[in-house]
Amino acid sequence: MKRAGIKEQKLNAIYSAFTDLVNEIGYEKLTTRLVAKKAGVSIGTVYYYFPDGKASIAAGLYEKNLSAQLENMQLDLRTQISRSLSLHKEHKELYRAFDQAIYARKDIFLGLKNRRDSGMKDEISGEGISLDVVLLMNGTVDALIHRHLFIEPMFETEWELVEYLTAIATASYNYLK
C-alpha cells in the first residue's frame, strides 16, 4: 500500500476511534492514549498526526466535516437548517465534544474558523449577502440548535424548531442587509 493510503487509513482509524470513544465515555474522559489503543496505533503515531492530542483530533475531524457544511449552503435556508439539526441530533456527542474542544483550545480552532469563513465567502460571492450576516445567522442557528438539543428542548417538535430558526435567519438577513 502506498504511503498516502497508509496515512489515510491511520487517520480514519484515529477519527473512528475518537468518535466511538466520545459516544461511549464522553470527551471529558477521553484520552489520547485511549484513542491510540482503540485505533490500533501507537501513541506516537497519534501525536505525529495530532500534536495537541485529543483537541487536535477534534479539530481535524471538525475540519473534515466543514466541506459538508459548505455544500449545504447550496440548499435553501429551511433545508440547510433541517440538515444541520439532523446532523447535530445524529452526532450529538460528537458536536458536544467539538464544543468542549473549542472552549478548551480556541487557538487550534482559529485556523479552521478562518478557512470556514473563507469558504463561506466564496460560496456567497455574487449573491449580495455579506459574510458578517451569514456568520451571524449561522452562529444564531447553531447556538439555538445546541440549546435545544444539549440543554433544554425549546419546542415540542423538530419542525417547529426548523420553522422558528428559518424565520429568525430570514428576519436577520432582511434586517442586516
Side-chain angles (χ1 to χ4, degrees):
M1 185 178 276
K2 292 184 178 184
R3 186 166 174 80
I6 293 171
K7 176 185 176 182
E8 192 66 29
Q9 187 178 41
K10 287 179 182 178
L11 289 174
N12 287 335
I14 292 167
Y15 288 143
S16 179
F18 177 87
T19 302
D20 290 348
L21 287 166
V22 162
N23 288 325
E24 292 169 19
I25 64 173
Y27 184 77
E28 311 83 28
K29 295 179 184 173
L30 182 140
T31 65
T32 306
R33 189 167 303 282
L34 285 172
V35 172
K37 183 177 179 181
K38 186 158 185 87
V41 299
S42 72
I43 189 78
T45 298
V46 175
Y47 279 110
Y48 176 77
Y49 293 115
F50 303 100
D52 291 302
K54 72 181 188 179
S56 290
I57 300 168
L61 193 54
Y62 186 85
E63 182 174 31
K64 193 173 177 179
N65 291 308
L66 278 179
S67 61
Q69 286 181 333
L70 293 176
E71 286 174 15
N72 279 348
M73 291 190 70
Q74 301 296 327
L75 305 170
D76 68 275
L77 187 58
R78 183 173 283 105
T79 305
Q80 285 179 41
I81 292 169
S82 183
R83 283 210 177 155
S84 182
L85 176 61
S86 294
L87 283 172
H88 278 76
K89 189 175 174 187
E90 182 180 344
H91 304 287
K92 193 173 181 178
E93 291 306 316
L94 189 57
Y95 278 92
R96 195 182 306 240
F98 289 155
D99 285 348
Q100 290 171 310
I102 290 167
Y103 294 140
R105 294 296 309 272
K106 288 180 184 174
D107 58 315
I108 294 173
F109 285 84
L110 184 58
L112 296 175
K113 178 190 176 307
N114 293 337
R115 282 194 293 282
R116 180 207 63 198
D117 294 356
S118 176
M120 283 184 171
K121 189 173 185 175
D122 291 344
E123 288 293 325
I124 63 171
S125 67
E127 293 188 27
I129 305 171
S130 83
L131 179 61
D132 291 339
V133 170
V134 171
L135 292 175
L136 178 63
M137 288 187 311
N138 283 353
T140 301
V141 166
D142 194 58
L144 291 173
I145 286 173
H146 285 227
R147 167 112 175 121
H148 178 81
L149 292 177
F150 303 153
I151 299 171
E152 180 179 11
M154 297 166 44
F155 296 94
E156 298 214 9
T157 68
E158 290 179 15
W159 178 85
E160 290 174 303
L161 176 62
V162 169
E163 289 303 306
Y164 179 75
L165 294 174
T166 302
I168 285 177
T170 301
S172 297
Y173 169 73
N174 289 332
Y175 178 77
L176 297 169
K177 68 177 182 177

